[in-house]
Amino acid sequence: MTKAFLAVVLLLSACLATPARAQDAPAPFDGDLQRLAEILGALHYLRGICNANEGTKWRNEMQALIDAETPSGDRRARMIAGFNRGYNGFQQTYRTCTPAATVAIRRYIEEGSKISRDLTARYAN
């Protein structure tokens, strides 16, 4: 499941790569990107405490998404804030891997995959 999510995120990153917009106006898919950023932040924390031995994999995926989308100003700040919100939210709740953390990981991978598929289907050329 993780490999499929990673592939979808990479595909989404490539498909959403667009030239910088005038005055960095919000894109119609910004809400979905912010949610995806939050999911990546949550996975970065949760997979770490659950000994997935992935290192900075999820942070790197977030960086790849930012690099592909090339947001600036408020858009960039909102994406980064989403990642941090996802990370910090679980950091405050979980100190060790629990069955609930494992369920959260599975659900976030499913939700992130769905968001990626939907965005790709809607906005990819």
Side-chain angles (χ1 to χ4, degrees):
M1 177 75 73
T2 301
K3 288 181 182 179
F5 179 67
L6 175 62
V8 173
V9 167
L10 290 175
L11 177 62
L12 175 65
S13 298
C15 292
L16 293 179
T18 58
R21 292 182 234 351
Q23 297 188 348
D24 208 34
F29 48 81
D30 276 358
D32 290 329
L33 286 182
Q34 288 174 32
R35 179 63 182 150
L36 186 57
E38 189 172 341
I39 289 168
L40 291 172
L43 288 171
H44 181 61
Y45 180 76
L46 290 171
R47 297 286 289 174
I49 65 168
C50 288
N51 299 318
N53 296 322
E54 295 172 333
T56 61
K57 172 184 177 173
W58 299 103
R59 180 180 289 161
N60 294 343
E61 291 303 318
M62 179 64 195
Q63 186 61 55
L65 185 60
I66 288 172
D67 291 346
E69 184 59 22
T70 63
S72 62
D74 288 341
R75 287 185 75 229
R76 180 180 179 86
R78 284 190 301 272
M79 287 179 73
I80 292 170
F83 181 89
N84 291 337
R85 187 173 42 256
Y87 186 94
N88 293 331
F90 281 99
Q91 184 183 39
Q92 293 173 4
T93 307
Y94 294 95
R95 298 288 181 215
T96 60
C97 190
T98 64
T102 303
V103 168
I105 289 169
R106 188 187 82 243
R107 288 181 179 167
Y108 276 125
I109 288 175
E110 290 171 3
E111 183 182 353
S113 295
K114 181 181 182 327
I115 291 169
S116 297
R117 282 190 310 270
D118 291 349
L119 285 173
T120 301
R122 184 177 294 158
Y123 296 104
N125 292 329

